[in-house]
Amino acid sequence: MKRAIVVAISVLLALVVAAPIASGQSSSQSQNLGQLTAEWWNWAFSISPSPLEGSYEGGAQCNGEYVEGVFFLAGALGGSRVDRTCTVPANTPILFSPFNYLCSDVFGDPEPLDTACATPITDATIDPPSSFYARVDGKDANQQRIASGLFQLTIAVDNPRIGVEAGTYEAAQDGLWVYLEKGLKEGKHTVQFGGTFKDTPLGDFKGTKVTYKLTAR
């Protein structure tokens, strides 16, 4: 399975390494973003179908309030276009991933998962000639490179489409993330991200184009 969750333009090479936080812990300005990226993956596997799958409007797949005080937006698997319509809490931090790569025991990846798998794949993917973008209301979003370090990935339910079984596995991710610390003001907003992969370990292809039509309340 391709675990690339696509997107990005500018890349800040600041690497953050940390252990995961417990669900329900409050988010704050000083919160370790590496911890949040680990929880983002636990959220992605908390239901089936996963929030990473397909287009949708409303419903459980728009429920990104997995960690108290922050709202998660899902990327997408594969190279297709997805359009999603969701309601999000206004003025609440939002986290989503322009591109990140997950390594885990569940996929049989080489150890150490962080430095032998996630980091080199990300290193070899984000450099030109690949190109990525992330925009909020038409403006380029600030992006950071963030690694989670090793964490416990909990797959709450079997997901035959993605090819994973329920259980707890060691994992690590590294990639590009957007953290909207102040969230979105009340009203209508558009979040878009996508990109093109060239000369990467993942191959050459157009990355998934994700468009969110969001109502902040």
Side-chain angles (χ1 to χ4, degrees), residues 124-147:
T125 299
I126 62 176
D127 291 336
S130 295
S131 62
F132 306 96
Y133 66 89
R135 302 187 187 103
V136 178
D137 293 333
K139 297 181 179 180
D140 290 344
N142 180 41
Q143 298 174 63
Q144 306 175 65
R145 180 171 175 179
I146 305 172

Side-chain angles (χ1 to χ4, degrees), residues 65 69-71 88-94 180-184:
E65 295 177 295
V70 64
F71 195 92
V88 301
N91 307 312
T92 298
I94 293 175
L180 305 178
E181 184 178 338
K182 296 183 179 179
L184 299 171

Side-chain angles (χ1 to χ4, degrees), residues 87-138:
T87 298
V88 301
N91 307 312
T92 298
I94 293 175
L95 179 73
F96 64 91
S97 179
F99 161 83
N100 81 82
Y101 194 82
L102 177 71
C103 293
S104 175
D105 289 345
V106 71
F107 305 122
D109 289 322
E111 296 185 355
L113 296 168
D114 50 355
T115 57
C117 184
T119 296
I121 291 291
T122 300
D123 285 342
T125 299
I126 62 176
D127 291 336
S130 295
S131 62
F132 306 96
Y133 66 89
R135 302 187 187 103
V136 178
D137 293 333

Side-chain angles (χ1 to χ4, degrees), residues 182-203:
K182 296 183 179 179
L184 299 171
K185 296 180 179 179
E186 289 189 3
K188 303 288 186 179
H189 302 274
T190 301
V191 173
Q192 297 175 303
F193 46 96
T196 301
F197 289 76
K198 293 183 179 180
D199 299 335
T200 80
L202 306 176

Side-chain angles (χ1 to χ4, degrees), residues 15-36:
L15 195 63
V16 181
V17 179
I21 58 175
S23 300
Q25 184 169 335
S26 296
S27 172
S28 68
Q29 181 177 357
S30 61
Q31 186 172 58
N32 192 302
L33 296 183
Q35 296 175 331
L36 280 179

